Amino acid sequence: MHELSLVSALVEEVSRDAQERGVSRITSVSLAVGKRAHALPHALLFCFDLIKRDTILAAAQLIIEVIPPLFHCESCGLSETHDALWLDCTCCGLPAVPTGGTELEIRGYEGDCPRGGKEN
Ligand SMILES: [Zn+2]
């Protein structure tokens, strides 16, 4: 499963970063997933629940923000966000080029800080 390796990398990255900051327990992770990223949110959630066990993310919740595709028209320069996999420019009708929506990025995470202060 493709999502399994994605989530595995995500858990590793967050764990490493949290350990560097002295965070002992993660409570939530925010992930931006583009519609064109070829990763299904429900599969990501399923894999996350499997992989997080026995890590400092064991009690963490995965929060997924789905990013709609962004299209750019090369003839008239219009950029628009549209919830579709392909699009004809709404201004001039020519096929627009997809320029976004392939994100798969960790937007941030929250956890317990051992020093009792705030994150960031
Ligand atoms: Zn156009």
Side-chain angles (χ1 to χ4, degrees), residues 38-114:
H38 304 295
L40 299 170
H42 73 265
L44 292 171
L45 289 168
F46 178 80
C47 295
F48 184 75
D49 281 344
L50 284 179
I51 293 174
K52 72 180 186 179
R53 291 174 194 170
D54 303 322
T55 74
I56 60 170
L57 285 81
Q61 186 192 2
L62 184 63
I63 300 160
I64 293 179
E65 182 194 353
V66 177
I67 309 293
L70 181 70
F71 293 89
H72 178 73
C73 175
E74 287 178 340
S75 61
C76 74
L78 182 74
S79 281
E80 55 191 318
T81 297
H82 203 279
D83 193 8
L85 292 181
W86 59 273
L87 185 76
D88 290 335
C89 177
T90 54
C91 176
C92 67
L94 292 170
V97 180
T99 56
T102 56
E103 302 84 349
L104 196 73
E105 296 170 355
I106 300 166
R107 287 283 164 90
Y109 63 85
E110 288 180 10
D112 294 341
C113 182

Side-chain angles (χ1 to χ4, degrees), residues 10-30:
L10 177 147
V11 168
E12 262 176 45
E13 191 176 332
V14 172
S15 299
R16 193 172 50 235
D17 189 74
Q19 272 157 15
E20 279 171 14
R21 293 166 194 265
V23 178
S24 56
R25 196 176 74 102
I26 309 281
T27 52
S28 71
V29 179
S30 298

